[in-house]
Amino acid sequence: MKKALITGITGQDGSYLADLLLAKDYEVHGIIRRASTFNTSRIDHLYRDPHVNGVRLHLHYGDLADALNLTRLIDRIGPDEIYHLGAQSHVRVSFDIPEYTGDIVALGTIRILEAIREAKVPARFYQASSSEMFGKVQQVPQTETTPFWPRSPYAVAKVYAYWATVNYRESYGMHASNGILFNHESPRRGETFVTRKITRAVAAIKRGQQDALYLGNLDAKRDWGYAREYVEGMWRILQQPEAADYVLATNETHSVREFCEVAFAHAGLDWQKHVKFDARYERPAEVELLIGDPGKAKAKLGWEPATKFDALTRLMVDADLALLDGKPLHLVD
């Protein structure tokens, strides 16, 4: 039975990846931060399953700022695969807390890589890189060879983590790979991210619990896919005999405005009657256009996205309506 260690297991991607790996008969270990409140809602369905929790799912307290504990955990667990998904992942927030973002996103990756090296564990390593690294894009669409031009503290930290992964691969012969994932959404997306913010508001407006939705730049364009499908790509990256870097994307771009149009229309609402502009949600430096070419992933991994933009948007609206009506999270997606 293979062992996998996931940082950020309680997040959107981590929870879907845990679902996937457990279905593939892995023993899954996840690192969670000690907090005063529970934040395990995305994996509660696994944690409450006696055939999984304590048998094939194990949660460990840890922090990406604590190198010693990370080394001890990796040495004790002895994982075959490490999926490094943990981060301060909100781009707009990174402008407000840049030092913390750099410590967790950039140096947190170095701490994991050093822990693998120090513990002498021959684990395959996956780094969750981001399309935000392309920032002020130098090529359309973006590929694995497009130069980076980061436009936020988060993106700058992700560039550091990307090159750290490449450096450890080249310097120490580690099986260390970057997945450059473009925006990927789902009903498990954090509530402060724009897509989920929109679909939650649509559901609340439809149910008469809210009237207005405040957003920033409606013209920003992103390449949006379905997170459940993207974690399959992560897994395939680590199954390759040689480590490499891959773009995972849909090769389509849509604006925030288009997302609003589809989401509100699906609920029978007119978005223009409810969406209001608020400058507080704009970034100091905006990323105007992201669109990825997943050609390498298709050719080498046999991976390509199946869920298109309209279907993803409708899926998320339906899920948030169901959540408001009391249906459990793991049953709505």
Side-chain angles (χ1 to χ4, degrees):
M1 184 182 293
K2 280 187 176 181
K3 291 183 184 179
L5 173 63
I6 303 172
T7 70
I9 193 171
T10 60
Q12 170 188 252
D13 292 5
S15 64
Y16 280 126
L17 183 60
D19 287 340
L20 176 75
L21 296 179
L22 288 167
K24 293 181 180 294
D25 293 324
Y26 277 65
E27 180 180 307
V28 175
H29 295 257
I31 296 177
I32 61 173
R33 285 179 298 166
R34 182 72 179 91
S36 58
T37 57
F38 291 109
N39 64 345
T40 58
S41 60
R42 296 182 183 91
I43 58 170
D44 278 349
H45 63 290
L46 300 173
Y47 199 59
R48 292 169 180 163
D49 184 343
H51 301 293
V52 172
N53 181 39
V55 180
R56 289 196 297 116
L57 174 65
H58 309 267
L59 300 181
H60 310 268
Y61 287 122
D63 197 299
L64 292 172
D66 186 347
L68 180 59
N69 184 56
L70 292 172
T71 304
R72 287 173 174 167
L73 280 174
I74 288 172
D75 181 55
R76 187 168 78 244
I77 296 166
D80 300 289
E81 298 169 4
I82 296 175
Y83 297 86
H84 179 36
L85 313 182
Q88 188 300 100
S89 58
H90 198 286
V91 177
R92 178 62 190 84
V93 170
S94 76
F95 285 98
D96 300 323
I97 49 172
E99 181 181 349
Y100 176 78
T101 300
D103 185 29
I104 298 304
V105 176
L107 296 182
T109 303
I110 283 286
R111 293 180 186 113
I112 293 282
L113 289 165
E114 271 294 285
I116 296 169
R117 191 174 73 87
E118 289 291 330
K120 297 180 174 60
V121 172
R124 296 186 173 194
F125 175 78
Y126 171 87
Q127 162 61 17
S129 289
S130 168
S131 60
E132 289 286 334
M133 299 187 303
F134 295 119
K136 189 176 180 180
V137 297
Q138 304 299 293
Q139 175 186 337
V140 178
Q142 293 87 58
T143 72
E144 292 81 4
T145 59
T146 301
F148 301 136
W149 193 320
R151 299 269 283 171
S152 67
Y154 168 79
V156 170
K158 280 293 187 181
V159 170
Y160 180 105
Y162 172 93
W163 285 116
T165 300
V166 172
N167 183 254
Y168 274 67
R169 179 169 73 217
E170 295 177 349
S171 300
Y172 303 114
M174 287 186 182
H175 193 294
S177 300
N178 285 286
I180 307 173
L181 272 59
F182 281 64
N183 292 63
H184 45 290
E185 317 298 319
S186 76
R188 299 186 191 181
R189 188 57 145 154
E191 296 172 356
T192 60
F193 290 84
V194 67
T195 52
R196 186 75 197 290
K197 184 176 178 180
I198 293 168
T199 60
R200 287 185 75 240
V202 168
I205 292 168
K206 184 67 175 179
R207 293 289 187 261
Q209 300 178 10
Q210 184 174 328
D211 183 59
L213 167 64
Y214 293 90
L215 298 173
N217 183 12
L218 295 180
D219 296 317
K221 293 182 177 180
R222 296 291 185 269
D223 182 324
W224 277 305
Y226 185 21
R228 183 185 288 277
E229 296 168 357
Y230 281 52
V231 299
E232 171 77 24
M234 297 177 189
W235 176 78
R236 292 192 184 196
I237 287 171
L238 289 200
Q239 308 317 303
Q240 301 308 299
E242 301 293 333
D245 308 315
Y246 297 88
V247 163
L248 300 186
T250 69
N251 202 26
E252 291 184 10
T253 189
H254 298 273
S255 68
V256 175
R257 188 186 311 276
E258 288 177 79
F259 198 99
C260 287
E261 290 171 352
V262 174
F264 277 86
H266 184 57
L269 300 169
D270 181 352
W271 73 275
Q272 295 184 71
K273 293 181 178 179
H274 301 282
V275 175
K276 313 294 182 184
F277 173 75
D278 190 331
R280 291 177 300 173
Y281 297 116
E282 289 198 316
R283 304 177 185 179
E286 183 59 83
V287 174
E288 299 293 347
L289 168 67
L290 292 175
I291 177 171
D293 179 357
K296 180 180 177 181
K298 182 177 180 180
K300 299 288 187 180
L301 308 177
W303 179 91
E304 57 183 324
T307 305
K308 299 300 183 181
F309 173 76
D310 283 14
L312 172 63
T313 307
R314 293 192 297 267
L315 179 155
M316 291 178 65
V317 170
D318 288 341
D320 272 315
L321 284 166
L323 286 171
L324 274 186
D325 294 338
K327 198 168 184 180
L329 177 61
H330 72 284
L331 296 179
V332 302
D333 60 347

